[in-house]
Amino acid sequence: MIVDMKRGASKAEVDEVVKRAESLGLDVQLNLGTDKTVVAILGSNTGQLSTDIFAVLPGVESVTRIMKPYKLASREFKNKDSIVSVNGVEIGGNRIVVMAGPCAVESEEQLREIARVVKDSGASILRGGAFKPRTSPFSFQGLKTAGLELLSSASKQFDLPVITEVVDPGDVDLVSKHSDILQVGSRNMQNYSLLTNIGKTRCPVVLKRGFSCTVTEWLTAADYLLAEGNSQVILCERGIRTFEDSTRFSLDLSSIPVIKKYSHLPIIVDPSHTAGHYSLVPALAKGAIAAGADGLLIEVHPNPKEALVDGLQSLTPSDFSRLMKELSLIARSVGRDI
Ligand code: PEP
Ligand code: MN
């Protein structure tokens, strides 16, 4: 249930709504907007309650039920676009944010080389996997803690925030000590204990879309993060499984305007895992920006032929630098900067 307070409602009036909800055993989340407060009343039995319970309280403008399964990620709860701030880099504002780097951190030299490329080409966040959830248990699983340490030292040296994936719910604290953004991979979008643990931190998080999940399931998964009080949530479309097999996954470009319609959360796109092939990445990246994405997550490797993971879909430094220039034209044409 969403309780819209009147413009200028007092703190005491908001507190009374909260107290009433808590007396019924319900949870509450507040959206303290600049001009008015919205109170989300959450709980499994709100469907059986009359909206009048809250509508009669002083300072209440209106009470509505959110019919969708997701509540906190919805525009009903928060209409204004959310902006996630990562060490001064804003995601969800006018500027398109590019996060780039290797699929996996392989060595100090590899990471430093690519961090320089990322920075020189105008991207603002360095990506690199330390824990790699691979389809096969026999594939390279990442450098783990040593990889995290390389990421945080490259971050300091190049003054670039970093993003890396956390796979195990027990590793959330460890990974958040080394990384500015936590990444939840496609295979873990519905790993609810992982989401709950990340929700308890205040670390920005990129929630990738499960490749067989609907937009509704994705936004409902985002509610697990938001319900714990972590509002720093960024969504990432990375392609879904369809009957089409000429690409690794099918890029669902329509999820960008759909997310913008129903949710206040920023959305970025990963063209690399969608495409599965470096030659397709630029077109998908450009399409994503044209369709309204707030940023991109792109795999770049100093020498893709030698990459331990995902070399075929990784851009070379020169291809990446060319793409960044092309993206700036697309960004400008849709009224955004890069
Ligand atoms: C990744 O970005 O490193 C990754 C494994 O992507 P996804 O979870 O989208 O497959
Ligand atoms: Mn990869």
Side-chain angles (χ1 to χ4, degrees), residues 214-329:
T214 63
V215 167
T216 298
E217 287 162 338
W218 188 14
L219 290 173
T220 311
D223 261 8
Y224 270 86
L225 297 162
L226 299 166
E228 297 297 328
N230 189 346
S231 58
Q232 305 279 89
V233 180
I234 303 153
L235 302 168
C236 179
E237 169 63 58
R238 46 80 72 214
I240 53 174
R241 182 136 287 164
T242 67
F243 53 81
E244 180 53 63
D245 62 1
S246 56
T247 48
R248 194 171 173 192
F249 293 91
S250 297
L251 179 57
D252 181 11
L253 267 189
S254 60
S255 76
I256 303 165
V258 170
I259 290 287
K260 292 283 173 198
K261 181 172 174 191
Y262 294 116
S263 179
H264 54 89
L265 297 173
I267 176 170
I268 64 169
V269 168
D270 172 348
S272 308
H273 288 87
T274 298
H277 197 278
Y278 67 91
S279 62
L280 305 174
V281 170
L284 300 184
K286 287 183 245 177
I289 298 308
D294 298 301
L296 295 163
L297 180 67
I298 302 178
E299 288 187 339
V300 194
H301 194 282
N303 184 4
K305 287 191 194 75
E306 303 286 315
L308 294 180
V309 192
D310 284 348
L312 192 58
Q313 67 195 32
S314 299
L315 297 184
T316 60
S318 62
D319 284 348
F320 178 64
S321 150
R322 185 173 330 114
L323 174 61
M324 286 297 287
K325 291 193 187 90
E326 292 170 0
L327 287 173
S328 85
L329 297 175

Side-chain angles (χ1 to χ4, degrees), residues 103 127 132 165 183 185-187 208 238 270 273 299:
C103 181
R127 70 148 284 155
K132 294 303 305 171
E165 180 163 355
Q183 178 174 319
S186 185
R187 290 154 189 81
K208 286 195 147 192
R238 46 80 72 214
D270 172 348
H273 288 87
E299 288 187 339

Side-chain angles (χ1 to χ4, degrees), residues 54-278:
F54 298 102
V56 295
L57 297 176
V60 171
E61 172 84 50
S62 62
V63 184
T64 43
R65 290 183 196 285
I66 307 186
M67 303 312 282
K68 302 171 186 118
Y70 54 89
K71 318 286 178 195
L72 303 176
S74 73
R75 288 249 182 228
E76 284 87 345
F77 176 58
K78 185 170 181 242
N79 190 36
K80 193 165 173 262
D81 289 345
S82 286
I83 295 181
V84 175
S85 184
V86 183
N87 293 353
V89 178
E90 289 193 334
I91 300 135
N94 192 57
R95 199 166 152 243
I96 306 286
V97 173
V98 178
M99 312 180 185
C103 181
V105 176
E106 296 168 8
S107 67
E108 186 172 352
E109 304 71 60
Q110 173 237 24
L111 195 62
R112 294 234 157 122
E113 200 175 332
I114 216 64
R116 187 169 297 113
V117 167
V118 163
K119 180 122 192 171
D120 290 351
S121 308
S124 37
I125 294 180
L126 176 65
R127 70 148 284 155
F131 292 92
K132 294 303 305 171
R134 306 301 304 285
T135 303
S136 162
F138 309 116
S139 305
F140 176 59
Q141 302 287 317
L143 296 181
K144 305 193 168 110
T145 309
L148 293 177
E149 281 158 6
L150 292 177
L151 276 169
S152 52
S153 88
S155 169
K156 283 190 201 95
Q157 185 182 344
F158 293 91
D159 191 24
L160 278 173
V162 292
I163 173 171
T164 198
E165 180 163 355
V166 53
V167 178
D168 188 321
D171 284 341
V172 169
D173 284 344
L174 170 74
V175 180
S176 60
K177 274 193 196 96
H178 290 88
S179 187
D180 303 285
I181 308 178
L182 299 174
Q183 178 174 319
V184 177
S186 185
R187 290 154 189 81
N188 268 320
M189 187 202 87
Q190 289 177 309
N191 181 339
Y192 300 122
S193 48
L194 179 64
L195 300 180
T196 301
N197 284 5
I198 295 174
K200 289 188 167 75
T201 73
R202 295 297 173 263
C203 192
V205 49
V206 163
L207 178 64
K208 286 195 147 192
R209 179 179 183 177
F211 50 71
S212 296
C213 291
T214 63
V215 167
T216 298
E217 287 162 338
W218 188 14
L219 290 173
T220 311
D223 261 8
Y224 270 86
L225 297 162
L226 299 166
E228 297 297 328
N230 189 346
S231 58
Q232 305 279 89
V233 180
I234 303 153
L235 302 168
C236 179
E237 169 63 58
R238 46 80 72 214
I240 53 174
R241 182 136 287 164
T242 67
F243 53 81
E244 180 53 63
D245 62 1
S246 56
T247 48
R248 194 171 173 192
F249 293 91
S250 297
L251 179 57
D252 181 11
L253 267 189
S254 60
S255 76
I256 303 165
V258 170
I259 290 287
K260 292 283 173 198
K261 181 172 174 191
Y262 294 116
S263 179
H264 54 89
L265 297 173
I267 176 170
I268 64 169
V269 168
D270 172 348
S272 308
H273 288 87
T274 298
H277 197 278
Y278 67 91

Side-chain angles (χ1 to χ4, degrees), residues 5 13 16-18 20 52-61:
M5 301 303 294
E13 288 169 335
E16 200 170 333
V17 172
V18 172
R20 187 78 183 98
D52 291 353
I53 292 173
F54 298 102
V56 295
L57 297 176
V60 171
E61 172 84 50

